[in-house]
């Protein structure tokens, strides 16, 4: 399931950590919807959430703490394999339409429209995905409680990517037999560093060729690929599908 928000700003600018603002919007929406009935499903516990979103900005100039835009309108697209989760999000966010919501620097925004998008289906065992949001590959070391990030040119990138995606799929209910043929190849990628909750996160943007079970590829297309998916990373679109 995919749907898109159109958002209008009072002033044409966003904080550099704009993903935090979208997460705050999701939390606000779920807190108010149905008396907060679904909030814990999305924000409590350590289990990863199988949805993702990407933010599309107009022409922008990036500064230390602010992004200056040439228009007051931007969009946020959500995607999830779990239709129930998708409908909950869609309904909760719909209730916030036209509500004036505060941002930093004495700015405000409101959701001006929300609409469902047509989804594609993967019908082959190989797909070239375009990363519409940065690809994050994170490895957490429990011994020192530190996170390590890998980008496309790192020697361990492919192996660590497969480890992250395999764990993502196992948590979603797939078995080893369905996952065993999974392969990932970075193509025309570049390194980007994203400021998020006070941390500078190394990520990769570009394309990835993914091979594997069709059901697995469909899940990845709809739920995103990699780490921190529900925080505005990992969103993909199909660029080319091999028949």
């Amino acid at each position: 399931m995919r749907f898109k928000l159109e958002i209008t700003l009072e002033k044409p600018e966003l904080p550099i950590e704009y993903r935090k603002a979208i997460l705050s919007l999701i939390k606000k929406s779920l807190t108010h919807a149905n008396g907060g009935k679904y909030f814990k499903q999305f924000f409590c516990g350590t289990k990863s959430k199988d949805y993702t979103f990407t933010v599309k900005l107009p022409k922008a100039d990036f500064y230390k703490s602010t992004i200056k835009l040439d228009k007051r309108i931007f969009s946020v697209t959500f995607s999830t394999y779990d239709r129930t989760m998708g409908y909950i999000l869609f309904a909760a966010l719909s209730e916030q339409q036209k509500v004036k919501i505060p941002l930093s620097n004495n700015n405000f925004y409101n959701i001006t429209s929300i609409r469902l998008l047509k989804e594609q289906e993967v019908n082959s065992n190989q797909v070239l995905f375009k990363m519409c949001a940065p690809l994050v590959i994170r490895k957490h070391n429990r011994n020192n409680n530190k996170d390590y990030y890998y980008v496309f040119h790192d020697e361990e990138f492919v192996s660590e990517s497969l480890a992250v995606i395999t764990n993502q799929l196992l948590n979603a209910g797939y078995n080893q037999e369905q996952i065993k043929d999974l392969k990932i190849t970075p193509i025309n990628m570049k390194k980007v560093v994203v400021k998020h909750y006070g941390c500078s996160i190394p990520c990769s943007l570009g394309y990835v060729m993914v091979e594997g079970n069709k059901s697995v590829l469909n899940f990845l297309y709809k739920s995103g690929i990699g780490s921190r998916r529900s925080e505005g990373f990992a969103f993909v679109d199909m660029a080319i599908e091999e028949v």
Side-chain angles (χ1 to χ4, degrees):
M1 179 179 176
R2 290 192 170 200
F3 62 90
K4 183 178 181 179
L5 308 182
E6 294 284 349
I7 294 177
T8 300
L9 294 156
E10 195 165 282
K11 296 190 292 186
E13 64 180 42
L14 283 169
I16 198 73
E17 295 192 29
Y18 59 84
R19 290 172 180 84
K20 282 173 59 177
I22 305 305
L23 288 167
S24 293
L25 170 62
I26 297 170
K27 289 178 179 179
K28 172 183 171 65
S29 302
L30 291 169
T31 298
H32 287 86
N34 253 342
K37 178 180 178 180
Y38 303 108
F39 185 89
K40 288 183 179 180
Q41 182 179 336
F42 285 81
F43 288 103
C44 293
T46 57
K47 185 179 178 182
S48 61
K49 311 302 184 291
D50 290 321
Y51 76 92
T52 183
F53 65 85
T54 184
V55 178
K56 186 174 182 180
L57 301 176
K59 184 179 178 182
D61 293 317
F62 289 76
Y63 298 93
K64 185 176 181 180
S65 61
T66 309
I67 305 170
K68 301 288 187 180
L69 310 174
D70 73 338
K71 296 178 181 178
R72 294 190 298 116
I73 298 173
F74 69 97
S75 66
V76 185
T77 302
F78 288 83
S79 181
T80 178
Y81 187 83
D82 185 334
R83 296 187 72 83
T84 300
M85 179 175 280
Y87 283 123
I88 291 169
L89 266 179
F90 184 90
L93 289 163
S94 294
E95 291 181 10
Q96 295 300 313
Q97 279 194 87
K98 313 301 181 184
V99 175
K100 189 176 180 180
I101 302 170
L103 268 174
S104 59
N105 201 23
N106 199 31
N107 200 4
F108 296 86
Y109 71 91
N110 64 279
I111 300 170
T112 49
S113 72
I114 179 169
R115 61 186 176 91
L116 291 171
L117 301 176
K118 186 177 180 180
E119 247 182 349
Q120 294 177 274
E121 289 292 327
V122 177
N123 295 305
S124 73
N125 295 317
Q126 186 181 62
V127 182
L128 180 66
F129 285 125
K130 178 184 178 181
M131 299 304 309
C132 299
L135 171 60
V136 177
I137 299 299
R138 175 178 61 176
K139 181 178 183 179
H140 182 70
N141 187 316
R142 293 184 179 181
N143 294 326
N144 59 16
N145 199 32
K146 288 185 178 181
D147 289 331
Y148 297 89
Y149 293 92
Y150 299 87
V151 296
F152 74 99
H153 55 62
D154 291 327
E155 185 177 343
E156 308 96 326
F157 175 77
V158 170
S159 61
E160 294 297 338
S161 295
L162 288 174
V164 167
I165 297 168
T166 295
N167 187 57
Q168 174 187 351
L169 293 166
L170 290 173
N171 286 337
Y174 289 89
N175 58 48
Q176 289 288 355
E177 182 66 23
Q178 294 170 300
I179 299 170
K180 67 178 184 178
D181 296 325
L182 191 67
K183 295 179 182 177
I184 182 169
T185 306
I187 298 175
N188 293 334
M189 301 202 91
K190 65 178 181 179
K191 178 182 176 181
V192 294
V193 178
V194 175
K195 194 81 171 177
H196 189 55
Y197 284 99
C199 298
S200 296
I201 301 177
C203 317
S204 303
L205 268 180
Y207 297 82
V208 287
M209 182 70 77
V210 185
E211 301 175 50
N213 179 288
K214 282 189 287 187
S215 174
V216 165
L217 297 184
N218 259 307
F219 176 82
L220 295 174
Y221 161 63
K222 295 173 182 180
S223 297
I225 296 176
S227 308
R228 310 191 82 144
R229 296 181 304 282
S230 60
E231 298 175 46
F233 300 92
F235 191 108
V236 299
D237 260 334
M238 281 196 277
I240 300 174
E241 182 179 6
E242 294 294 332
V243 179

